[in-house]
Each structure stands twice: as structure tokens, then as C-alpha cells.
Amino acid sequence: MAQLYAIESQIHHQTPDIKYAARQTEALPGLAKFRQWLAGNVIGLPAQAPLAQAFGYALRQWSALIRHTESGILMPDNNALERHIRPIARGESELDLGLAAWWNGGRYDVLPSRHGSP
């Protein structure tokens, strides 16, 4: 995985066409070797072993794992999205603060923070 992120850091500011070409020539061969390694090493593991289940899951989800290599637009993970929605999941969105301020006549200082202090 570190190799994938190293490739992505090199092509981060490139055009989608250049990203696609780099992923096809650099990332896809490494991913193919990883798939071969997974398939070869899952064979000797007991079926109910956690490692065998993890390898099996990765192999079953292979098309999703390599989907970013089929495009110059997609990212290899969803970290950017998760960073943006984390405050919403925690109840800390700007919308919540704006509505609370409106409800309290524009006074943010009367709102307790999630740490207990106003």
C-alpha cells in the first residue's frame, strides 16, 4: 500500500490523463503481484482463520480495490471525504453552529461545547 501512496504523491497535481497512465504502468503491475501473493498465501490457511478471511475479503473486493487505476479522476481511498464529513458525524458542522446561534439570538457564548465549557 505504501507503494500506491508513493505513486499517488508523485502524480497528485497531474492531469487525469497523466494520472491514468501512471496508474496503469506503475500501480497496476504492483497490485497484480499483490493479488497473486494473496491468492497463493490464502491456500494454506484454515478457512475460519482471521487472516484467511481478510485475504478472502480482499480477493472478493478486488474490482473495488483497483477501480482507481481505471480512471485518472478517482482516488485510491476515501480519506478526503471522511475528513470532510467527520465534523458532521460528530455533530460539529457549521450548519449546526449557525442554527444554534440563530436560535440563541446570535450568541455563541451560551452554547456548551462538547467538552462541557461554554
Side-chain angles (χ1 to χ4, degrees):
M1 295 310 289
Q3 293 172 348
L4 289 178
Y5 285 107
I7 293 166
E8 290 298 318
S9 70
Q10 293 172 355
I11 62 174
H12 178 68
H13 295 292
Q14 301 295 329
T15 65
D17 291 337
I18 294 173
K19 287 180 182 181
Y20 172 76
R23 290 171 178 170
Q24 289 291 304
T25 59
E26 297 177 39
L28 206 51
L31 285 166
K33 288 180 185 177
F34 179 56
R35 182 177 187 172
Q36 185 179 9
W37 182 86
L38 282 173
N41 286 293
V42 75
I43 294 171
L45 298 173
Q48 296 303 316
L51 193 56
Q53 292 177 354
F55 284 12
Y57 178 81
L59 291 167
R60 285 189 307 277
Q61 299 297 320
W62 193 256
S63 63
L65 180 64
I66 66 167
R67 189 164 294 132
H68 79 283
T69 64
E70 300 165 357
S71 168
I73 298 171
L74 298 175
M75 299 299 296
D77 56 38
N78 64 353
N79 291 344
L81 173 65
E82 287 182 5
R83 273 193 304 276
H84 287 351
I85 66 170
R86 187 171 293 125
I88 297 167
R90 290 183 182 164
E92 301 171 354
S93 72
E94 291 177 20
L95 177 62
D96 289 343
L97 293 176
L99 288 174
W102 172 79
W103 185 260
N104 290 303
R107 295 179 311 236
Y108 285 105
D109 58 346
V110 298
L111 297 174
S113 73
R114 60 188 176 106
H115 299 292
S117 61

